[in-house]
Amino acid sequence: MKKIILCPNPYRDKGFRGAFAAEKQLKEMGIETRMCLPFSVDKNFELPRKAELYELADELPGSDLLICFGGDGTILHSSKQATYNNVPILGVNVGTMGFMAELENHETELLRKVVEGEYTIDERIMLDISVRRAGEVIATDLALNDAVITKGAVARIIQLSILCDGTEAMNFSGDGVILSTPTGSTAYSMSAGGAIVEPGASNIMVTPICAHTLYTKPLILSDQRQVSVRIGKLGRKSAYLSVDGGRAVKLNTGDLVIAKKSEYKTKLVRVKNISFYQLINMKFKNS
């Protein structure tokens, strides 16, 4: 490796302590580094003065690795740009759960293994998400975790129809629905009653949120399916789409949210010999 980007979450990696420690270690091994923020921060937030910051979009092309210091949200913020540039991601957990992160904050000495090529790449499927309104695409996005459709008002429910390859699979009223990848199965989908799916699997999960019916259950579909969600009558209610926890898109009655397997895959770097089930036990026992 020649060039590595360090991407600290300023709200998690306080004072960039983890990022600075990794920078020192990598430079001692002759690696060129660049420090970039995964997202814009509040104007009043004070960043470390000695941090020389670069634009992530400018530095990703030609880089060998992106190291994120934070939780899963930090990886999600960076995953699209990294994936578009075919740059693998190594997560260092400075958050609470950190399911996608490979290292804990005290394990940065293992970066030497990465530099020396002692690692594997874990490819994760992603979903292409689009919103159609009156036959026209009005929004597109790329999901590593999930696409979530939810109601706006607390005391109201929305009507949703779920279609698989154009055939209606279920129709229900409730708080919303989650369309997730296996990576996202341990996030919001699991909290809503969805199944835990191995991250290397090739599936799309459909998890209703508080469905107002006895018979509506989560679905685990082949990744060859195209899943569509048709928004039913809303009246004065509102519905919103959020992809990987990003900015919400307001939905109207009749809108169609479409999810299908993307040609893009996020590449996560693995350096530790730990199974998915060991990870589940470790993370949830400590949560």
Side-chain angles (χ1 to χ4, degrees), residues 127 180 203-206 219-223 225 227 261:
L127 298 178
S180 76
N203 297 101
I204 300 173
M205 275 64 70
V206 181
L219 300 175
I220 301 177
L221 308 173
S222 162
D223 67 357
R225 301 293 184 191
V227 182
K261 181 182 177 182

Side-chain angles (χ1 to χ4, degrees), residues 149-152 158 231 234 237-241 249-251:
I149 298 169
T150 55
K151 61 188 178 64
I158 55 177
I231 310 302
L234 295 173
K237 301 183 286 293
S238 299
Y240 297 89
L241 167 69
V249 175
K250 188 173 182 179
L251 302 172

Side-chain angles (χ1 to χ4, degrees), residues 35-54:
M35 193 89 69
C36 303
L37 295 179
F39 46 73
S40 300
V41 299
D42 298 332
K43 292 182 179 179
N44 296 327
F45 188 85
E46 188 173 345
L47 296 168
R49 293 184 179 180
K50 66 175 183 178
E52 186 177 358
L53 298 173
Y54 296 82

